[in-house]
Amino acid sequence: MTPLLWSLALLHQLKHQAIHVHPSSSTSTTMYNHYSSSWVSHLQIPWERFPLRLSHAITRGDRAHPEDRRSMVRIVVEAMQVHCRNPKRASCEEVAKIIVNRYPQTFADFTEKGERLGCGHYSLLRSIKSRVEHVNRDNTTHRLRQTKRTRNEEDYSPNSNATSPKKVRCLVDSYSCINWQPVELPEGETPASSEEKKHILLTIFNSEGPGAVERPDVDDFMCLTYISQRQLINSCPSLSVAVIQEQWPFLFTQKGLSNHFYKFTGIDISERLGQALITKGRRIVNYFSSQKLKWNLGIRTLIQQIESEGVLTNNKVGT
């Protein structure tokens, strides 16, 4: 994985991390009901059906046994499917938040040192969503994604008009994106002018290479043709990365991808990565050090250099 793609993967995880105050068990469900989907607000989590050993762990504030945790996930998903056969990720996350915030000591994500990991409910969310996908694996109608709806509508209605399987597979969620697919061209632009700028960008790249991304006119043209880039990326059926790279090669430079990501999410990659490394850098290097024998000579040499320079005395470690 290239450093740039690794940075994006790290930022995707950090973007969803937040500091949560642990509410008391009597108020957690009420707090989330205000923001939840309509059916989640009426969901009754069957605490009484949890395994006896898990109930005891909850009472003592102990960690859940893996087997009991899996049983709990199955029970919770059964209760969710009474309201919605195929809950989306956002709904699964709401349910995971309710459980973790009510009993954080038993279900939240913690490090070996007892530090809460990010939002604290990521692993439970993943387990719940995986279980939903598993139970719907043989049900094509429920398993395929449906057309995007508003947040307040039901995740899925059996009475809604069915969308063809080929089309449904191409419809993806614009979760956490602020500029998923703009519909209005920039002022003064037309489809013809946008296509002309695309050809100019291709000509510049073919003659000068990826280094031309630093040219001011390339930066301006990439910004003005953002809508065309999104239309290609979101096209149905989905296109291969090679096809996208052939038509928009500057997207595959560090600056081009960073600028596109900023318009897409409102997040500055370079700034966010720098902030993340201040607090996460030590953990990253410690992980690579613990797996030293698995890496090639170049990585092992780099790890030894970092350790010998003593930079682990603070969190500002090199990547």
Side-chain angles (χ1 to χ4, degrees):
M1 181 180 291
T2 66
L4 178 58
L5 292 180
W6 175 86
S7 302
L8 286 174
L10 175 63
L11 286 172
H12 178 72
Q13 178 183 5
L14 294 175
K15 185 177 68 167
H16 295 91
Q17 294 183 353
I19 298 176
H20 296 283
V21 178
H22 298 173
S24 64
S25 60
S26 61
T27 60
S28 60
T29 302
T30 303
M31 180 180 68
Y32 281 103
N33 282 351
H34 179 69
Y35 301 99
S36 62
S37 302
S38 57
W39 67 265
V40 175
S41 64
H42 296 95
L43 175 67
Q44 296 294 323
I45 297 177
W47 309 101
E48 71 284 352
R49 291 180 54 199
F50 288 1
L52 183 60
R53 180 171 55 179
L54 180 57
S55 298
H56 290 164
I58 290 175
T59 302
R60 295 190 300 265
D62 296 337
R63 302 297 295 167
H65 188 278
E67 180 180 349
D68 297 335
R69 186 183 174 98
R70 289 191 293 269
S71 298
M72 180 269 290
V73 169
R74 289 193 292 268
I75 293 170
V76 170
V77 170
E78 286 178 6
M80 294 168 64
Q81 290 193 304
V82 172
H83 302 271
C84 176
R85 286 296 302 167
N86 185 22
K88 291 185 179 179
R89 187 183 189 280
S91 299
C92 293
E93 184 169 18
E94 291 178 33
V95 175
K97 285 180 181 178
I98 292 173
I99 295 173
V100 168
N101 280 274
R102 183 162 183 174
Y103 300 114
Q105 296 303 318
T106 303
F107 298 111
D109 300 331
F110 290 99
T111 66
E112 295 180 355
K113 296 182 179 180
E115 300 175 350
R116 183 155 173 164
L117 280 172
C119 60
H121 61 260
Y122 177 75
S123 63
L124 183 57
L125 161 62
R126 185 175 57 185
S127 298
I128 291 175
K129 186 57 179 172
S130 296
R131 178 61 183 174
V132 168
E133 294 172 351
H134 176 74
V135 297
N136 283 322
R137 67 190 184 283
D138 296 325
N139 191 325
T140 304
T141 303
H142 290 142
R143 176 167 50 84
L144 296 177
R145 291 185 178 186
Q146 308 301 316
T147 53
K148 184 169 178 58
R149 300 174 179 225
T150 60
R151 290 178 64 99
N152 294 326
E153 289 182 320
E154 292 292 341
D155 286 347
Y156 174 73
S157 172
N159 297 323
S160 62
N161 295 327
T163 308
S164 64
K166 183 177 181 180
K167 182 177 181 181
V168 170
R169 284 192 176 92
C170 302
L171 297 175
V172 293
D173 203 348
S174 58
Y175 177 73
S176 295
C177 304
I178 63 173
N179 206 3
W180 171 259
Q181 183 57 76
V183 294
E184 295 185 2
L185 289 166
E187 185 177 357
E189 291 295 315
T190 65
S193 66
S194 180
E195 188 67 19
E196 181 182 0
K197 288 180 175 60
K198 176 182 176 181
H199 287 300
I200 293 175
L201 288 169
L202 283 171
T203 301
I204 294 175
F205 185 89
N206 292 332
S207 61
E208 301 183 30
V213 72
E214 301 296 336
R215 288 176 44 163
D217 56 342
V218 169
D219 197 27
D220 291 340
F221 283 7
M222 286 294 290
C223 181
L224 292 171
T225 56
Y226 176 80
I227 183 173
S228 298
Q229 298 164 33
R230 294 306 309 168
Q231 287 173 344
L232 186 70
I233 293 172
N234 297 336
S235 59
C236 181
S238 301
L239 301 176
S240 67
V241 173
V243 171
I244 298 174
Q245 184 173 13
E246 181 181 349
Q247 298 193 38
W248 296 100
F250 283 115
L251 270 181
F252 292 78
T253 64
Q254 181 170 342
K255 182 176 181 179
L257 182 58
S258 297
N259 290 345
H260 187 94
F261 190 78
Y262 180 76
K263 290 182 68 67
F264 187 50
T265 64
I267 294 176
D268 186 308
I269 295 177
S270 300
E271 179 182 350
R272 184 65 64 89
L273 180 60
Q275 294 172 352
L277 287 176
I278 293 177
T279 56
K280 307 296 183 182
R282 179 198 294 269
R283 184 177 300 172
I284 293 171
V285 173
N286 286 345
Y287 168 76
F288 275 85
S289 298
S290 67
Q291 308 287 323
K292 190 178 299 184
L293 296 179
K294 295 183 179 181
W295 310 121
N296 61 35
L297 179 60
I299 296 179
R300 291 201 300 269
T301 302
L302 177 60
I303 294 173
Q304 292 172 355
Q305 179 183 358
I306 292 174
E307 293 174 342
S308 64
E309 291 177 355
V311 294
L312 289 178
T313 55
N314 58 63
N315 281 315
K316 295 182 180 180
V317 297
T319 58

